[in-house]
Amino acid sequence: MTIRLAFLIALMGFTGGLMVASFAGFREFIPGLLMGAWVTVQITVLAAILAVVAAMAAGLAKLSRIRVLRWIANIYVEIFRGTSALVQLFWLYFVLPHFGISLSAMTVAVVGLGLNVGAYGAEVVRGSIQAVAKGQYEAATALNMSRSLTMRRIIIPQAVAAMLPPWGNLFIELLKATALVSLITITDLTFRAYQLNQVTLRTVEIFTLVLVVYLALSLVITIGMRALERRVGADFGTGRVL
Amino acid sequence: MDPIVSFQGVTKRYGYLSVLKELDLDVAPNEKVAIIGPSGSGKSTLLRVLMTLEQIQEGIIYVDGQPLTHMERNGALVPADERYQRSVRGKIGMVFQNFNLFPHMTALQNCMEAPMNVLGLSRQDAQARASELLEMVGLADKMQSRPNRLSGGQQQRVAIARALAMRPKVMLFDEVTSALDPELVGEVLNVIRKLGDEHNLTMLMVTHQMGFAREFADRVCFFYEGRIAEQGPPNEFFTDPKNERTRAFLSAVLEAH
Amino acid sequence: MLFDWSFALEILPILAQAAVITIEATLIGFVLALLLGLALALARMSRNPFISFPAAGFIEFIRSTPLLIQIFFLYFVFPKFGIVLPALVAGILALGLHYSTYCAEVYRAGLENVPRGQWEAATALNLAPMATFRDIILPQAIPPIIPALANYLVALFKETPLLSAIAVLELMQTAKIIGSDTFRYLEPITLVGLFFLVMSLVSAALIRQGEAWLRRRRS
């Protein structure tokens, strides 16, 4: 793992250095790209929050004893996993106005990507909850805990620890998917790159630089999730005491 | 005296396999009952249906005069719903073979969780009760440790303290020393001995420790194929078993030691 | 505004034609991903650090950055070197390249799961390394990873709408053109969504069956 990280950092440093060294006059692009990156970050963060909420709700609903809830969750997950993210964005952006619902491009981006990643996350949530040992439920019953208390205090905290690594991957997929919002007129990092390319025709430099920025952002996600995993891992007795 | 636990014609089936067959068993308050028998004889199932971890198909179980598996409605007994069952099963506590401690909580938190959130104790009261019990099981210095920092014997003692913190009237011990390394068995048995001496507790224990059963129990029940094949006071039971199967089982177990 | 069935019926043939392009791109892109992925996996597992490190870096780089930019990059960069690629070819290359890095990780897992003893046994039989790999190792490594690879085939399929960004006349682009020509987006985009949904559900069912078959075969 550390080797992987070291790799990324080395690669970034190398490419970054190359950029700065070889392409003088590159500075003028930086502000536009930074503004685009900021939009990308905003969409990623907001959609990630929505994804976690949707995944929790759908994952729990899939395990519910109430059949209607299971149905709704299944339909949601199958629709959003079964159609492509771009189709979903276009549907929300171009079709929804036909039903009298006009959302801003930004709202479409956050809702569309959040629900898309949430559908994949629902499977992660369900899997991690089912992976908690049966003995934990039995111990909770023996302590006369109610079902909801058992879920809230015993099962979900353990499931959360198990679901962090797959969530890290999902967040990176989300970051990558934010590039799609450039196709519904949002001026994110990808949009800026496209625009600059049209104006300056310096294809290699611009797209390489933008790819490196995306790489750096996903590195931030990876490192952040690692830190979170270590923290939560500490809750299971690897050192830290409350 | 009225029994505190009473099995009346209880049958438990998995598919076509009957694990308990029309079982009748009364346990008096404060009685210590050791349950022995070959594996698959239904002895663990007896504890599990009493803890409501498994449903029974026929018969009724009473706890402290109240039906546990059924509830009264319009003068008739109908299968109990979860809410009713929770109101009765609070009188029972259980310790498991594999401890089943909550890994994300310290020893102290393990013992405080249910008293606070089920019984509604304040944090101070729950903590006082939990630390007193952890002291009693000899773990005063391990209160802030999480389960994976404790030995098997220590984990099992935390599990006992955790069950006691709910102030049950009946304690169930399901092969509580079977998962332990031999040198750790003694510390757990000592805690159970101490409990028997100092508390008014009814205990049902499934065990393979014949010596402990003989010394500690008021009565020994030998299970065979879902029925009680023989039962009696330990001295009689171990010195002069009447049943063919009991003799075979005891000689097999004693030979192994 | 309700779904206009006669309009939907009218545009169906046009969309069906576009679906052919989508499926073409999917299949060719995936074959590319399979071949390139195996090469990447072998490079990644090489004992020579000058081969394995760059391979690992490349895999990480492609996996961590958006496919859409990779599509733009390939589409716009080739003309700079005097090679004019049709948009469809550039798009297929990008899809294949992107998913080759995912396939590489799958291959690696499959290859690492073949017990070392198999190599040793082949050496003991005096088989050449190439022959060992082709005849002994690969046939054992591939079957267990077919479901995982198939999942990436479906994932790649669901990313083909991105080719609309460089005006490839696949399903999404065709639907958009119909939409802007007729001012009716509801039917074309919904039909495209349904197409993807049905194809995904069918392939998910097929993959499940394949997994069950593999399990039976192994036991």
Side-chain angles (χ1 to χ4, degrees), chain A residues 195-224:
Chain A
Q195 214 176 23
L196 277 177
N197 181 57
Q198 302 290 1
V199 177
T200 65
L201 297 176
R202 295 175 70 173
T203 308
V204 179
E205 297 93 314
I206 290 165
F207 285 119
T208 309
L209 180 64
V210 167
L211 284 174
V212 170
V213 174
Y214 275 107
L215 183 65
L217 289 176
S218 57
L219 192 60
V220 169
I221 294 177
T222 306
I223 291 174

mmCIF file of all heavy atoms in Angstrom, chain A residues 195-224:
data_model
loop_
_atom_site.group_PDB
_atom_site.id
_atom_site.type_symbol
_atom_site.label_atom_id
_atom_site.label_comp_id
_atom_site.label_asym_id
_atom_site.label_seq_id
_atom_site.Cartn_x
_atom_site.Cartn_y
_atom_site.Cartn_z
ATOM 1 N N GLN A 195 -12.517 23.587 -23.199
ATOM 2 C CA GLN A 195 -12.583 24.959 -23.684
ATOM 3 C C GLN A 195 -11.188 25.489 -24.046
ATOM 4 O O GLN A 195 -10.960 26.008 -25.132
ATOM 5 C CB GLN A 195 -13.159 25.813 -22.565
ATOM 6 C CG GLN A 195 -14.012 26.947 -23.018
ATOM 7 C CD GLN A 195 -14.593 27.647 -21.809
ATOM 8 O OE1 GLN A 195 -14.053 27.580 -20.694
ATOM 9 N NE2 GLN A 195 -15.710 28.329 -22.011
ATOM 10 N N LEU A 196 -10.238 25.294 -23.113
ATOM 11 C CA LEU A 196 -8.874 25.760 -23.352
ATOM 12 C C LEU A 196 -8.272 25.092 -24.566
ATOM 13 O O LEU A 196 -7.557 25.712 -25.347
ATOM 14 C CB LEU A 196 -7.999 25.456 -22.124
ATOM 15 C CG LEU A 196 -8.065 26.467 -21.001
ATOM 16 C CD1 LEU A 196 -7.203 25.987 -19.838
ATOM 17 C CD2 LEU A 196 -7.563 27.818 -21.499
ATOM 18 N N ASN A 197 -8.586 23.826 -24.704
ATOM 19 C CA ASN A 197 -8.066 23.084 -25.845
ATOM 20 C C ASN A 197 -8.567 23.694 -27.151
ATOM 21 O O ASN A 197 -7.809 23.835 -28.108
ATOM 22 C CB ASN A 197 -8.485 21.622 -25.726
ATOM 23 C CG ASN A 197 -7.946 20.789 -26.881
ATOM 24 O OD1 ASN A 197 -6.739 20.766 -27.096
ATOM 25 N ND2 ASN A 197 -8.832 20.163 -27.618
ATOM 26 N N GLN A 198 -9.852 24.085 -27.164
ATOM 27 C CA GLN A 198 -10.410 24.692 -28.370
ATOM 28 C C GLN A 198 -9.708 26.008 -28.691
ATOM 29 O O GLN A 198 -9.456 26.328 -29.853
ATOM 30 C CB GLN A 198 -11.918 24.965 -28.206
ATOM 31 C CG GLN A 198 -12.744 23.751 -27.882
ATOM 32 C CD GLN A 198 -12.858 22.796 -29.047
ATOM 33 O OE1 GLN A 198 -12.297 23.021 -30.103
ATOM 34 N NE2 GLN A 198 -13.553 21.697 -28.841
ATOM 35 N N VAL A 199 -9.393 26.758 -27.623
ATOM 36 C CA VAL A 199 -8.821 28.084 -27.832
ATOM 37 C C VAL A 199 -7.344 27.995 -28.187
ATOM 38 O O VAL A 199 -6.881 28.636 -29.128
ATOM 39 C CB VAL A 199 -9.010 28.949 -26.568
ATOM 40 C CG1 VAL A 199 -8.356 30.313 -26.750
ATOM 41 C CG2 VAL A 199 -10.495 29.097 -26.263
ATOM 42 N N THR A 200 -6.591 27.189 -27.428
ATOM 43 C CA THR A 200 -5.135 27.225 -27.555
ATOM 44 C C THR A 200 -4.577 26.108 -28.411
ATOM 45 O O THR A 200 -3.434 26.187 -28.848
ATOM 46 C CB THR A 200 -4.474 27.105 -26.177
ATOM 47 O OG1 THR A 200 -4.794 25.803 -25.657
ATOM 48 C CG2 THR A 200 -4.985 28.162 -25.228
ATOM 49 N N LEU A 201 -5.361 25.026 -28.565
ATOM 50 C CA LEU A 201 -4.918 23.860 -29.326
ATOM 51 C C LEU A 201 -3.660 23.202 -28.746
ATOM 52 O O LEU A 201 -2.957 22.491 -29.437
ATOM 53 C CB LEU A 201 -4.671 24.238 -30.808
ATOM 54 C CG LEU A 201 -5.911 24.716 -31.547
ATOM 55 C CD1 LEU A 201 -5.561 25.159 -32.946
ATOM 56 C CD2 LEU A 201 -6.977 23.628 -31.576
ATOM 57 N N ARG A 202 -3.375 23.480 -27.471
ATOM 58 C CA ARG A 202 -2.214 22.820 -26.854
ATOM 59 C C ARG A 202 -2.701 21.562 -26.122
ATOM 60 O O ARG A 202 -2.668 21.456 -24.893
ATOM 61 C CB ARG A 202 -1.495 23.783 -25.921
ATOM 62 C CG ARG A 202 -0.903 24.942 -26.722
ATOM 63 C CD ARG A 202 -0.304 25.972 -25.839
ATOM 64 N NE ARG A 202 0.909 25.481 -25.191
ATOM 65 C CZ ARG A 202 1.700 26.267 -24.468
ATOM 66 N NH1 ARG A 202 1.413 27.522 -24.309
ATOM 67 N NH2 ARG A 202 2.769 25.761 -23.888
ATOM 68 N N THR A 203 -3.162 20.607 -26.903
ATOM 69 C CA THR A 203 -3.864 19.430 -26.402
ATOM 70 C C THR A 203 -3.069 18.656 -25.347
ATOM 71 O O THR A 203 -3.571 18.369 -24.256
ATOM 72 C CB THR A 203 -4.186 18.490 -27.575
ATOM 73 O OG1 THR A 203 -4.851 19.247 -28.571
ATOM 74 C CG2 THR A 203 -5.048 17.344 -27.129
ATOM 75 N N VAL A 204 -1.834 18.318 -25.688
ATOM 76 C CA VAL A 204 -1.061 17.450 -24.792
ATOM 77 C C VAL A 204 -0.888 18.094 -23.429
ATOM 78 O O VAL A 204 -1.143 17.478 -22.387
ATOM 79 C CB VAL A 204 0.312 17.131 -25.421
ATOM 80 C CG1 VAL A 204 1.124 16.255 -24.472
ATOM 81 C CG2 VAL A 204 0.132 16.445 -26.762
ATOM 82 N N GLU A 205 -0.447 19.359 -23.444
ATOM 83 C CA GLU A 205 -0.176 20.024 -22.168
ATOM 84 C C GLU A 205 -1.430 20.120 -21.313
ATOM 85 O O GLU A 205 -1.432 19.759 -20.138
ATOM 86 C CB GLU A 205 0.364 21.441 -22.410
ATOM 87 C CG GLU A 205 1.672 21.516 -23.142
ATOM 88 C CD GLU A 205 1.481 21.673 -24.641
ATOM 89 O OE1 GLU A 205 0.640 20.930 -25.205
ATOM 90 O OE2 GLU A 205 2.145 22.533 -25.255
ATOM 91 N N ILE A 206 -2.507 20.605 -21.944
ATOM 92 C CA ILE A 206 -3.719 20.866 -21.157
ATOM 93 C C ILE A 206 -4.283 19.580 -20.588
ATOM 94 O O ILE A 206 -4.537 19.468 -19.377
ATOM 95 C CB ILE A 206 -4.768 21.573 -22.034
ATOM 96 C CG1 ILE A 206 -4.290 22.996 -22.321
ATOM 97 C CG2 ILE A 206 -6.116 21.608 -21.345
ATOM 98 C CD1 ILE A 206 -5.042 23.651 -23.443
ATOM 99 N N PHE A 207 -4.468 18.591 -21.433
ATOM 100 C CA PHE A 207 -5.110 17.378 -20.922
ATOM 101 C C PHE A 207 -4.203 16.633 -19.947
ATOM 102 O O PHE A 207 -4.681 16.036 -18.990
ATOM 103 C CB PHE A 207 -5.571 16.479 -22.068
ATOM 104 C CG PHE A 207 -6.810 17.000 -22.736
ATOM 105 C CD1 PHE A 207 -6.832 17.353 -24.079
ATOM 106 C CD2 PHE A 207 -7.985 17.157 -21.989
ATOM 107 C CE1 PHE A 207 -7.982 17.846 -24.670
ATOM 108 C CE2 PHE A 207 -9.138 17.653 -22.579
ATOM 109 C CZ PHE A 207 -9.135 18.001 -23.928
ATOM 110 N N THR A 208 -2.899 16.667 -20.181
ATOM 111 C CA THR A 208 -2.005 16.025 -19.215
ATOM 112 C C THR A 208 -2.114 16.719 -17.867
ATOM 113 O O THR A 208 -2.249 16.069 -16.825
ATOM 114 C CB THR A 208 -0.544 16.072 -19.703
ATOM 115 O OG1 THR A 208 -0.498 15.584 -21.036
ATOM 116 C CG2 THR A 208 0.333 15.231 -18.814
ATOM 117 N N LEU A 209 -2.081 18.037 -17.888
ATOM 118 C CA LEU A 209 -2.167 18.784 -16.638
ATOM 119 C C LEU A 209 -3.471 18.439 -15.908
ATOM 120 O O LEU A 209 -3.488 18.169 -14.703
ATOM 121 C CB LEU A 209 -2.089 20.289 -16.918
ATOM 122 C CG LEU A 209 -2.165 21.159 -15.659
ATOM 123 C CD1 LEU A 209 -0.956 20.901 -14.768
ATOM 124 C CD2 LEU A 209 -2.259 22.624 -16.004
ATOM 125 N N VAL A 210 -4.568 18.405 -16.664
ATOM 126 C CA VAL A 210 -5.862 18.143 -16.034
ATOM 127 C C VAL A 210 -5.920 16.717 -15.479
ATOM 128 O O VAL A 210 -6.425 16.483 -14.382
ATOM 129 C CB VAL A 210 -6.993 18.399 -17.051
ATOM 130 C CG1 VAL A 210 -8.298 17.845 -16.551
ATOM 131 C CG2 VAL A 210 -7.109 19.890 -17.300
ATOM 132 N N LEU A 211 -5.355 15.781 -16.228
ATOM 133 C CA LEU A 211 -5.318 14.409 -15.712
ATOM 134 C C LEU A 211 -4.546 14.362 -14.393
ATOM 135 O O LEU A 211 -4.929 13.667 -13.454
ATOM 136 C CB LEU A 211 -4.670 13.475 -16.739
ATOM 137 C CG LEU A 211 -5.549 13.099 -17.933
ATOM 138 C CD1 LEU A 211 -4.754 12.301 -18.951
ATOM 139 C CD2 LEU A 211 -6.758 12.301 -17.481
ATOM 140 N N VAL A 212 -3.450 15.110 -14.329
ATOM 141 C CA VAL A 212 -2.663 15.122 -13.094
ATOM 142 C C VAL A 212 -3.476 15.725 -11.947
ATOM 143 O O VAL A 212 -3.414 15.249 -10.813
ATOM 144 C CB VAL A 212 -1.337 15.884 -13.301
ATOM 145 C CG1 VAL A 212 -0.639 16.119 -11.969
ATOM 146 C CG2 VAL A 212 -0.431 15.108 -14.233
ATOM 147 N N VAL A 213 -4.260 16.762 -12.254
ATOM 148 C CA VAL A 213 -5.088 17.346 -11.192
ATOM 149 C C VAL A 213 -6.095 16.306 -10.686
ATOM 150 O O VAL A 213 -6.281 16.130 -9.478
ATOM 151 C CB VAL A 213 -5.815 18.612 -11.694
ATOM 152 C CG1 VAL A 213 -6.774 19.122 -10.625
ATOM 153 C CG2 VAL A 213 -4.815 19.690 -12.056
ATOM 154 N N TYR A 214 -6.727 15.580 -11.610
ATOM 155 C CA TYR A 214 -7.652 14.524 -11.183
ATOM 156 C C TYR A 214 -6.926 13.470 -10.351
ATOM 157 O O TYR A 214 -7.431 12.982 -9.342
ATOM 158 C CB TYR A 214 -8.328 13.864 -12.389
ATOM 159 C CG TYR A 214 -9.551 14.599 -12.878
ATOM 160 C CD1 TYR A 214 -9.529 15.318 -14.060
ATOM 161 C CD2 TYR A 214 -10.735 14.563 -12.145
ATOM 162 C CE1 TYR A 214 -10.648 15.994 -14.517
ATOM 163 C CE2 TYR A 214 -11.868 15.229 -12.592
ATOM 164 C CZ TYR A 214 -11.825 15.950 -13.779
ATOM 165 O OH TYR A 214 -12.931 16.607 -14.210
ATOM 166 N N LEU A 215 -5.735 13.119 -10.793
ATOM 167 C CA LEU A 215 -4.956 12.127 -10.056
ATOM 168 C C LEU A 215 -4.691 12.620 -8.635
ATOM 169 O O LEU A 215 -4.836 11.875 -7.663
ATOM 170 C CB LEU A 215 -3.635 11.864 -10.791
ATOM 171 C CG LEU A 215 -2.735 10.800 -10.177
ATOM 172 C CD1 LEU A 215 -3.406 9.445 -10.239
ATOM 173 C CD2 LEU A 215 -1.400 10.755 -10.907
ATOM 174 N N ALA A 216 -4.332 13.899 -8.534
ATOM 175 C CA ALA A 216 -4.057 14.464 -7.213
ATOM 176 C C ALA A 216 -5.315 14.417 -6.350
ATOM 177 O O ALA A 216 -5.264 14.066 -5.164
ATOM 178 C CB ALA A 216 -3.556 15.893 -7.350
ATOM 179 N N LEU A 217 -6.469 14.751 -6.947
ATOM 180 C CA LEU A 217 -7.711 14.732 -6.176
ATOM 181 C C LEU A 217 -8.035 13.311 -5.703
ATOM 182 O O LEU A 217 -8.442 13.105 -4.556
ATOM 183 C CB LEU A 217 -8.871 15.275 -7.018
ATOM 184 C CG LEU A 217 -8.830 16.787 -7.291
ATOM 185 C CD1 LEU A 217 -9.969 17.194 -8.207
ATOM 186 C CD2 LEU A 217 -8.902 17.572 -5.988
ATOM 187 N N SER A 218 -7.827 12.324 -6.586
ATOM 188 C CA SER A 218 -8.144 10.966 -6.133
ATOM 189 C C SER A 218 -7.141 10.503 -5.094
ATOM 190 O O SER A 218 -7.472 9.721 -4.206
ATOM 191 C CB SER A 218 -8.249 9.990 -7.303
ATOM 192 O OG SER A 218 -7.070 9.985 -8.034
ATOM 193 N N LEU A 219 -5.931 11.032 -5.177
ATOM 194 C CA LEU A 219 -4.940 10.726 -4.139
ATOM 195 C C LEU A 219 -5.397 11.277 -2.793
ATOM 196 O O LEU A 219 -5.255 10.626 -1.751
ATOM 197 C CB LEU A 219 -3.597 11.334 -4.540
ATOM 198 C CG LEU A 219 -2.400 10.877 -3.716
ATOM 199 C CD1 LEU A 219 -2.226 9.391 -3.841
ATOM 200 C CD2 LEU A 219 -1.149 11.605 -4.178
ATOM 201 N N VAL A 220 -5.976 12.478 -2.821
ATOM 202 C CA VAL A 220 -6.491 13.060 -1.583
ATOM 203 C C VAL A 220 -7.565 12.141 -0.996
ATOM 204 O O VAL A 220 -7.592 11.861 0.207
ATOM 205 C CB VAL A 220 -7.073 14.466 -1.855
ATOM 206 C CG1 VAL A 220 -7.858 14.963 -0.647
ATOM 207 C CG2 VAL A 220 -5.959 15.432 -2.218
ATOM 208 N N ILE A 221 -8.449 11.643 -1.864
ATOM 209 C CA ILE A 221 -9.499 10.730 -1.385
ATOM 210 C C ILE A 221 -8.872 9.474 -0.786
ATOM 211 O O ILE A 221 -9.229 9.043 0.316
ATOM 212 C CB ILE A 221 -10.452 10.351 -2.540
ATOM 213 C CG1 ILE A 221 -11.221 11.592 -3.007
ATOM 214 C CG2 ILE A 221 -11.423 9.255 -2.100
ATOM 215 C CD1 ILE A 221 -12.133 11.323 -4.192
ATOM 216 N N THR A 222 -7.908 8.894 -1.504
ATOM 217 C CA THR A 222 -7.283 7.664 -1.017
ATOM 218 C C THR A 222 -6.656 7.874 0.351
ATOM 219 O O THR A 222 -6.877 7.098 1.282
ATOM 220 C CB THR A 222 -6.191 7.192 -2.006
ATOM 221 O OG1 THR A 222 -6.785 7.082 -3.300
ATOM 222 C CG2 THR A 222 -5.620 5.852 -1.591
ATOM 223 N N ILE A 223 -5.880 8.954 0.478
ATOM 224 C CA ILE A 223 -5.185 9.193 1.740
ATOM 225 C C ILE A 223 -6.195 9.478 2.852
ATOM 226 O O ILE A 223 -6.090 8.969 3.963
ATOM 227 C CB ILE A 223 -4.176 10.352 1.585
ATOM 228 C CG1 ILE A 223 -3.038 9.902 0.673
ATOM 229 C CG2 ILE A 223 -3.634 10.773 2.937
ATOM 230 C CD1 ILE A 223 -2.070 11.011 0.327
ATOM 231 N N GLY A 224 -7.224 10.267 2.529
ATOM 232 C CA GLY A 224 -8.248 10.578 3.521
ATOM 233 C C GLY A 224 -8.938 9.322 4.025
ATOM 234 O O GLY A 224 -9.137 9.143 5.232
#
